[in-house]
Amino acid sequence: MRPVMFLMAALFVLGVAPLTAQTTFTVTSNNDIDDGTCSVGPGHCSLREAINAANASAARLRIAYD
């Protein structure tokens, strides 16, 4: 079995999300407030909140800026 196919099969069996799946947190504020709620949708999200949310998740994440 090819190494890539083996890795994909192992991730599927373990229930790990594929490497292409991403969640994006969009920074919408330039303040440094962290109220603990950086939502994926529209709303308040500072860079500190986005970093903390990304560090708290096991998923593959991306931080974008608006």
Side-chain angles (χ1 to χ4, degrees):
M1 185 180 274
R2 294 181 182 166
V4 173
M5 295 298 288
F6 178 76
L7 177 62
M8 294 289 286
L11 290 174
F12 178 75
V13 169
L14 294 174
V16 177
L19 296 178
T20 57
Q22 282 189 344
T23 299
T24 301
F25 290 106
T26 303
V27 176
T28 59
S29 175
N30 63 356
N31 64 22
D32 194 24
I33 297 172
D34 183 2
D35 60 6
T37 57
C38 183
S39 59
V40 175
H44 175 271
C45 185
S46 67
L47 178 59
R48 181 179 304 276
E49 287 174 321
I51 291 170
N52 288 339
N55 287 339
S57 175
R60 184 172 180 197
L61 301 170
R62 183 166 87 184
I63 297 175
Y65 300 92
D66 183 13

